[in-house]
Amino acid sequence: MKSSNGIKPWFVLLALCVALAIKGCSVANITPTANPQPSVAALAAPKLPDWIEQISPTGEAATTAQIRIRFKEPLLPVESLESKEPQDVLKQFELVPPLPGQWRFLTPRMVGFQGDRAIPKATRIKVTLKAGLADLRQHRLEQDFAWTFNTEPIKLTALPGTPAAGTAQGEAVEPLDVKPVLKFTSNVELDLTSLKEHVQLASGNDKNGVGLNVALERSEEKARDQYPEEKAPTEQFDPSVRDWFYTLEPQQPLAKATRYRLEIT
């Protein structure tokens, strides 16, 4: 038996195709209650002053990358490293957004940032050396010197309607029910309010789409709340080593025999 359009009723469920457009590199919250961090605009790679030998990292960096500036000449005499003088010099170094940790002299010619935690993913960092910073040869910054770098951007995987890992190329994706619970994985924790504003399930030329309820998967959230002590030391320092699982539930039954597209802008 077939319906009037020639499609078998048992097959008139749901097919999804996914269209993603993830723009820019924004700041990601580590916890749902964290305050939003300031947005940082990308800066062009700067030309180093003659008396600064190296800055790192630049471009895209790992979450465990160390922020370091190496100078050609010492900023302080070796005997001053245990005094209060280094703290006055270190006030000339700044990070935006601020990260938990502290600036330290690694050597008289090298300053680095020692973080208490890894740098979050999907984050752009601005490093500033403030005007007035000088070395022992009286080389001096007449204006602020700054550069930016970023960590891995937001990446969404295991999207509904896409072939599962290990599926042969060209193999058909199993249709879903008209009341599905759609799931996907993110490499960072997402702001649920922002996700709800930027996700849409639409069909054909329908611009309004179907409303979606979004949530962090309860089982994952509950396990983390109940057993925080089971986090490995690596995850305690760098939460980005884990994935985050989200659910999307249509606020109304979907139409049968219809292809929908999931859009996350």
Side-chain angles (χ1 to χ4, degrees):
M1 177 180 176
K2 296 184 178 181
S3 61
S4 59
N5 59 6
I7 302 176
K8 295 180 179 180
W10 60 266
F11 195 73
V12 288
L13 297 175
L14 170 68
L16 287 173
C17 63
V18 179
L20 288 177
I22 299 179
K23 300 181 180 180
C25 179
S26 59
V27 175
N29 292 333
I30 297 301
T31 66
T33 56
N35 293 324
Q37 296 285 5
S39 179
V40 174
L43 298 177
K47 181 180 179 181
L48 295 181
D50 291 340
W51 56 287
I52 297 180
E53 192 169 82
Q54 185 184 45
I55 57 174
S56 63
T58 57
E60 186 172 310
T63 57
T64 54
Q66 187 176 30
I67 302 168
R68 296 184 298 185
I69 304 97
R70 188 164 65 223
F71 300 86
K72 293 182 178 180
E73 301 292 339
L75 299 186
L76 290 173
V78 175
E79 60 269 20
S80 298
L81 292 179
E82 301 301 323
S83 67
K84 292 184 178 180
E85 189 177 355
Q87 298 307 314
D88 294 333
V89 176
L90 294 176
K91 291 177 182 178
Q92 301 290 90
F93 296 80
E94 181 183 64
L95 292 181
V96 177
L99 299 177
Q102 59 184 338
W103 289 99
R104 299 177 61 92
F105 272 95
L106 305 178
T107 73
R109 296 194 303 114
M110 184 184 298
V111 173
F113 183 79
Q114 181 178 330
D116 296 336
R117 301 182 74 182
I119 305 168
K121 288 184 178 179
T123 301
R124 180 178 291 117
I125 301 293
K126 180 182 179 181
V127 186
T128 302
L129 281 55
K130 297 181 180 179
L133 179 67
D135 66 12
L136 294 182
R137 293 289 184 91
Q138 299 306 308
H139 299 107
R140 183 179 300 272
L141 289 178
E142 300 301 328
Q143 58 186 14
D144 288 355
F145 172 81
W147 82 94
T148 56
F149 68 91
N150 59 272
T151 50
E152 177 184 77
I154 296 173
K155 291 183 179 178
L156 308 182
T157 55
L159 292 154
T162 58
T167 302
Q169 187 174 3
E171 186 174 334
V173 177
E174 186 70 19
L176 303 180
D177 187 48
V178 295
K179 295 181 179 180
V181 177
L182 309 175
K183 298 183 179 184
F184 70 91
T185 303
S186 173
N187 64 335
V188 296
E189 185 174 4
L190 304 174
D191 182 320
L192 290 179
T193 301
S194 177
L195 177 59
K196 188 170 184 179
E197 292 174 351
H198 291 86
V199 66
Q200 177 178 254
L201 193 61
S203 63
N205 296 321
D206 183 5
K207 294 183 179 180
N208 295 324
V210 177
L212 294 168
N213 296 322
V214 303
L216 179 65
E217 193 166 39
R218 293 182 183 88
S219 59
E220 176 75 5
E221 188 175 27
K222 185 176 180 180
R224 296 289 165 172
D225 289 342
Q226 287 185 338
Y227 308 107
E229 69 280 359
E230 294 186 3
K231 291 183 180 180
T234 301
E235 185 180 332
Q236 291 178 7
F237 177 75
D238 187 1
S240 71
V241 299
R242 60 166 289 194
D243 288 327
W244 300 80
F245 304 94
Y246 291 88
T247 59
L248 305 170
E249 295 188 50
Q251 296 174 355
Q252 64 190 58
L254 301 178
K256 293 185 177 182
T258 302
R259 181 178 296 275
Y260 286 84
R261 64 183 181 274
L262 179 66
E263 299 177 340
I264 305 178
T265 57

